Amino acid sequence: MNLPMNSLFSQVETMGHEQIVYCHDPKSGLRAIIGIHDTTLGPALGGTRLWAYDNEEDALRDVLRLSRGMTYKAACAGLSLGGGKAVIIARPEQKTEAMFRAFGRFVNSLGGRYITAEDVNTCVTDMNNVRMETRFVTGVSPALGGSGDPSPVTALGVFAGLKAAVEYRLGKKDLRGLKVAVQGVGNVGRYLCGYLAEQGVKLYVSDISVDRLKEVERAHGATVVGQDEIYGLDVDVFAPCALGGILNSKTLPLLKAPIVAGGANNQLEDEKVHGQILKERRIVYCPDYVINAGGLINVYNELLGYDREKALSEAKSIGNSISAILHDAEKEGITTQEASGRFAERRIKSISELKQMNTLENSGIGRMHR
């Protein structure tokens, strides 16, 4: 890591993280970073992303943003979880059983402060390998007591949030005939296209994978467009379902859609600057960590004893959360990102105060001052 030590601690302190763990196993080639942001509400749960980052600074920046987003996601979803995330610095073709088992040993060393799951470029098989070394993992196969791929539940939550945004902004409860541009048709984007197609939505899709595009085109009659073309389409909803940072100073001027509602994490390159631009342009933005919480809801249910119908029902309630946040933002004259952040912070603060009071009571200090 080339960052000076004072710079590293400055980043961690600024974003409020509790712990950063660097994981290195020369034999398997593992190079990973685990970020634990906040455990006020419970253990930090968040997926492990595998990506060929250009440098270690980019990997750290990603894990810091993603883990903080998980704290807010869990808080807004009403879950008893904190926020964490992990990144493995590698290319997908470099994945091995040994790499994920080594990673599992690092997760296990944290004693449950961090619980992992799948994310970009990781899958159920990878989590099964992690499970060989630790019980602090979700999203494993049903044969091992898990729920399998959480993507359908994530996509269902995005679909519910998108419907709520359409009703709020366009005054329509029926999606039939609307046009939606889906950026990225990986696991979540592909399932989202299925939900939308069932409602008679006209789909426009882009992705780096030709095979995935052909699959969605064949299954749902979607129109394939270029990766740069997707931003400027005259559609009702723009649904980013790929990587983060795609709403920025270069892409925002291109948007014609009155609604942004998608499953990607960290969609705003700069939350304050670009959130304000969306507000000024009257583009309704559904905060990513609220609308894409279905996957987290799904794996949280694994910890409680998995009930598929319960997980699906709770994912559908994301529509209610999005509706409340959109109305709160309008009432207070703030961005939707600010409105969701305030909601999450109020919940974390209230639980933190409750824990402090309980600590005082248990220590006897509270009784001494009565």
Side-chain angles (χ1 to χ4, degrees), residues 155 158 180-194 196 203-209 212-213 216 222-228 230-231 238-244 246 261-264:
V158 174
V180 177
V182 180
Q183 181 190 48
V185 288
N187 289 342
V188 174
R190 176 166 53 90
Y191 283 110
L192 177 61
C193 285
L196 292 169
L203 294 169
Y204 298 84
V205 296
S206 69
D207 197 284
I208 59 174
S209 169
R212 288 198 294 252
L213 288 171
V216 175
T223 300
V224 175
V225 300
Q227 292 182 56
D228 294 329
I230 194 81
Y231 294 102
F238 174 59
C241 295
L243 294 178
I246 53 87

Side-chain angles (χ1 to χ4, degrees), residues 56 67 78-79 99 148 185 222 250 257 262 272 277 304 311 326:
E56 294 164 350
S67 55
L79 306 178
M99 178 183 288
V185 288
K250 291 182 179 179
K272 291 184 178 180
I277 291 174
L304 304 176
L326 296 182

Side-chain angles (χ1 to χ4, degrees), residues 12 15-19 35-39 44 64 67-69 71-72 83-85 348:
V12 173
M15 299 185 75
H17 284 72
E18 295 177 3
Q19 188 175 6
I36 298 175
H37 179 254
D38 190 294
T39 57
L64 290 176
S67 55
R68 184 183 64 172
T71 294
Y72 283 71
K85 206 78 171 183
I348 293 169

Side-chain angles (χ1 to χ4, degrees), residues 45 107 114-118 126-140 146 299 302-303:
L45 194 155
V107 171
Y114 170 64
I115 303 169
T116 195
E118 66 178 83
D126 300 324
M127 295 306 108
N128 287 346
N129 288 329
V130 172
R131 182 66 177 80
M132 294 180 186
E133 304 294 337
T134 183
R135 62 188 177 89
F136 302 119
V137 55
T138 58
V140 297
V299 295
E302 281 190 31
L303 302 177

Side-chain angles (χ1 to χ4, degrees), residues 271-290:
E271 293 178 358
K272 291 184 178 180
V273 172
H274 301 124
Q276 184 62 32
I277 291 174
L278 286 165
K279 179 177 179 293
E280 290 172 355
R281 292 193 56 196
R282 296 191 67 247
I283 296 175
V284 168
Y285 172 64
C286 298
D288 46 55
Y289 56 75
V290 181

Side-chain angles (χ1 to χ4, degrees), residues 46-308:
T48 295
R49 172 170 297 190
L50 185 143
W51 195 257
Y53 293 95
D54 291 336
N55 52 62
E56 294 164 350
E57 289 87 342
D58 285 350
L60 175 62
R61 187 178 301 109
D62 209 21
V63 81
L64 290 176
R65 290 193 67 189
L66 289 167
S67 55
R68 184 183 64 172
M70 292 303 296
T71 294
Y72 283 71
K73 182 182 296 189
C76 287
L79 306 178
S80 297
L81 291 173
K85 206 78 171 183
V87 297
I88 294 176
I89 305 171
R91 297 187 301 275
E93 62 268 22
Q94 293 176 303
K95 290 199 299 185
T96 64
E97 176 190 341
M99 178 183 288
F100 281 92
R101 292 189 66 164
F103 178 69
R105 290 193 290 276
F106 281 105
V107 171
N108 197 58
S109 72
L110 294 170
R113 276 178 54 77
Y114 170 64
I115 303 169
T116 195
E118 66 178 83
D119 199 86
V120 175
N121 287 328
T122 59
C123 61
V124 172
T125 299
D126 300 324
M127 295 306 108
N128 287 346
N129 288 329
V130 172
R131 182 66 177 80
M132 294 180 186
E133 304 294 337
T134 183
R135 62 188 177 89
F136 302 119
V137 55
T138 58
V140 297
S141 65
L144 294 176
S147 61
D149 181 11
S151 300
V153 187
T154 304
L156 182 62
V158 174
F159 174 68
L162 185 152
K163 286 182 65 178
V166 166
E167 183 174 357
Y168 171 83
R169 180 67 171 81
L170 304 180
K172 296 182 178 180
K173 293 186 177 182
D174 187 356
L175 301 183
R176 186 167 301 277
L178 295 187
K179 295 178 287 185
V180 177
V182 180
Q183 181 190 48
V185 288
N187 289 342
V188 174
R190 176 166 53 90
Y191 283 110
L192 177 61
C193 285
Y195 294 134
L196 292 169
E198 289 177 357
Q199 298 294 309
V201 169
K202 172 62 178 174
L203 294 169
Y204 298 84
V205 296
S206 69
D207 197 284
I208 59 174
S209 169
V210 174
D211 290 340
R212 288 198 294 252
L213 288 171
K214 287 182 178 179
E215 180 185 347
V216 175
E217 182 182 30
R218 183 172 55 253
H220 306 302
T223 300
V224 175
V225 300
Q227 292 182 56
D228 294 329
E229 185 184 358
I230 194 81
Y231 294 102
L233 296 178
D234 186 11
V235 294
D236 299 290
V237 182
F238 174 59
C241 295
L243 294 178
I246 53 87
L247 297 175
N248 52 55
S249 299
K250 291 182 179 179
T251 59
L252 285 178
L254 304 176
L255 286 185
K256 295 179 181 176
I259 299 168
V260 175
N265 288 313
N266 296 330
Q267 295 169 26
L268 299 173
E269 187 177 74
D270 186 303
E271 293 178 358
K272 291 184 178 180
V273 172
H274 301 124
Q276 184 62 32
I277 291 174
L278 286 165
K279 179 177 179 293
E280 290 172 355
R281 292 193 56 196
R282 296 191 67 247
I283 296 175
V284 168
Y285 172 64
C286 298
D288 46 55
Y289 56 75
V290 181
I291 196 171
N292 68 12
L296 182 62
I297 290 170
N298 188 69
V299 295
Y300 178 66
N301 272 275
E302 281 190 31
L303 302 177
L304 304 176
Y306 191 65
D307 182 330
R308 181 74 170 182

